[in-house]
Amino acid sequence: MKDPRAFISSQTVIAVAPLVPEIELHLATEITPIWQATEAHLAALNIEPPFWAFAWPGSQLLARFVLDQPERVRDRSVLDFACGGGLAGIACAQAGARAVRVNDIDPLALEAACLNAALNKVSVVPVTNDLVGTVPEGIDLLLCGDVCYNQQMADRIIPWLRRCARTMDVWMADPGRPYAPKDGIEILISATLPTTMELEGKTARETRLCRILPSSG
């Protein structure tokens, strides 16, 4: 793709998520081409499903929590893991984080996160590697949104998050996925968030933000 940022701009509109009106994002809506594109069409263009083009409930709750309690992230070094469009990381930058890194295995998501950060006049640093299995250095707080959407992903991610939690705070937002951990967590906040039938098959999801407790071994 010659100009990924031009592609993102052409496939989205500038809008805000319902829970976080302070932050503008490049989002897909029912009137944008990428919303209407089929997965087969995107695959033909060598483009991953555009998870970055939607403000998912988990990232909304993370961002809202950070903006309402900025003292929890102020002067901290933050990693927004599986960042999508970077909503949570942008909120941390606005709340006074010392540095914000955004990480996603989809290069287009990183482009979207950086584009969204610039739209909101903050800076984030993109990290392209698959970080699972490593312990990121120099991080005080690791954030992740909806990362337990299937059993395979949960089995891979949760043990890693627990290892990371030995040396940093780890917050995970979960919109009620059956594969998310039920114990070894501390609930920070929960809320019922609006969503869409197209994305979630329902109009609202009970979403919780929890701190992942470290593993002992």
Side-chain angles (χ1 to χ4, degrees), residues 14 24 39 42 56 77 90-91 116 119 141 149 151 159 174 178 204:
I14 295 176
E24 292 186 320
E39 196 165 333
L42 293 171
W56 299 90
S77 180
I90 291 167
N116 288 332
L119 183 63
L141 174 62
Y149 48 83
Q151 188 68 64
D174 167 56

Side-chain angles (χ1 to χ4, degrees), residues 1 7 34 37-54 104-109 149:
M1 187 179 297
F7 172 81
I34 207 164
T38 65
E39 196 165 333
H41 172 67
L42 293 171
L45 297 174
N46 197 30
I47 297 170
E48 295 289 329
F51 300 121
W52 50 265
F54 303 96
D104 203 288
I105 59 172
D106 181 357
L108 207 53
Y149 48 83

Side-chain angles (χ1 to χ4, degrees), residues 19-20 23 56-69 73 78-83 87-89 91-92 141-146 170-174 188-189 193 207-210:
L19 204 65
V20 197
I23 297 177
W56 299 90
S59 62
Q60 288 192 54
L61 188 61
L62 269 166
R64 183 73 268 151
F65 185 74
V66 164
L67 292 176
D68 289 344
Q69 301 191 44
V73 301
V78 177
L79 173 65
D80 184 1
F81 170 73
C83 65
L87 175 56
C92 289
L141 174 62
L142 188 157
L143 309 177
C144 55
D146 186 1
V170 177
W171 298 352
M172 185 185 75
D174 167 56
L188 300 176
I189 190 174
L193 271 62
T207 305
R208 62 182 185 174
L209 174 61
C210 62

